[in-house]
């Protein structure tokens, strides 16, 4: 399973990248706005900086909602760097645009996916990635991971090539569950990634080893 970080914060992207386990980055307009990125040029420069920091797929989201607008915006985003993946919302014109990008060799991430039916449409349109929003489904008292498993089963049965990108991941346990269910990618903030490191027995064991190591000196 690939690890993407879900942020536009450069310090966090660098920290995850330095761990050596980062395969890409996902952003969205909310995450960009949170970093105070304003204006088209600043947005493009920010994506370029991320692409130069991380050697992997970098999702940049369109804000147009009509076919022509999505295609024009996506072409322009894709021209920033070869690693840009155009993030397209799961709406009718989005599906048409996904197919256009597929036919024109531009990688895509179909975002805001909340049902298996939507995931089937994304795959039929040839999306590179499909993003089921696990945490937001959990927020509504449903089990978001159930959807990841359902999509994995359908894609495997049908031979769809679209990669399942488990998104809206909120905890380290979510990451483990996504891996168990066969997600191809997991995208989340830095904290759940660092949370995977934690185990009290590791800390206790290491403290004991270091203490005993002192006895070996002299
Ligand atoms: C996915 O690509 C989205 O950017 C993201 O995972 C949304 O997560 P949230 O529900 O925590 O905002």
């Amino acid at each position: 399973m690939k690890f993407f970080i879900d942020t536009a914060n450069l310090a966090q992207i660098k920290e995850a990248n330095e761990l050596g386990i980062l395969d890409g980055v996902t952003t969205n307009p909310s995450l960009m706005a949170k970093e105070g990125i304003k204006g088209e040029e600043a947005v493009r420069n920010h994506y370029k900086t991320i692409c130069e920091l991380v050697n992997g797929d970098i999702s940049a989201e369109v804000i147009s909602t009509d076919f022509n607008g999505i295609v024009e915006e996506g072409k322009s985003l894709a021209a920033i760097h070869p690693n840009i993946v155009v993030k397209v919302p799961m709406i009718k014109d989005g599906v048409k645009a996904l197919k256009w990008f597929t036919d024109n060799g531009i990688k895509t991430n179909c975002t805001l996916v909340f049902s298996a039916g939507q995931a089937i449409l994304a795959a039929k349109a040839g999306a590179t990635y499909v993003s089921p929003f696990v945490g937001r489904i959990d927020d509504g008292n449903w089990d978001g991971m159930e959807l990841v498993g359902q999509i994995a089963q359908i894609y495997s049965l049908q031979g769809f090539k679209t990669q399942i990108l488990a998104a809206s991941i909120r905890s380290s346990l979510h990451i483990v569950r996504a891996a168990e269910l066969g997600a191809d990618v997991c995208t989340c903030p830095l904290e759940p990634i660092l949370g995977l490191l934690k185990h009290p027995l590791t800390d206790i064991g290491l403290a004991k080893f270091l203490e005993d190591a002192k006895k070996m000196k002299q």
Side-chain angles (χ1 to χ4, degrees), residues 6 26-28 31 87 133 136 167-168 170 187:
D6 194 32
T26 51
T27 63
N28 63 41
L31 294 172
K87 208 171 174 190
F133 273 38
R136 293 193 195 187
S168 184
R170 307 271 171 80
T187 192

Side-chain angles (χ1 to χ4, degrees), residues 6-7 26-28 30-31 59 61 87 109 111-112 131-136 139 165-170 187-189:
D6 194 32
T7 184
T26 51
T27 63
N28 63 41
S30 308
L31 294 172
S59 286
E61 188 159 343
K87 208 171 174 190
N109 173 357
T111 190
L112 290 167
S131 288
F133 273 38
V134 174
R136 293 193 195 187
D139 290 343
L165 195 168
S168 184
I169 292 293
R170 307 271 171 80
T187 192
C188 61

Side-chain angles (χ1 to χ4, degrees), residues 132-181:
F133 273 38
V134 174
R136 293 193 195 187
I137 295 174
D138 288 358
D139 290 343
N141 293 321
W142 282 286
D143 181 0
M145 278 299 165
E146 223 171 74
L147 176 60
V148 172
Q150 194 184 10
I151 298 171
Q153 193 187 11
I154 292 169
Y155 280 14
S156 156
L157 273 173
Q158 299 294 333
F160 288 134
K161 299 282 177 278
T162 298
Q163 295 177 55
I164 303 167
L165 195 168
S168 184
I169 292 293
R170 307 271 171 80
S171 68
S172 306
L173 183 59
H174 267 160
I175 300 176
V176 174
R177 291 288 293 132
E180 278 178 335
L181 290 165

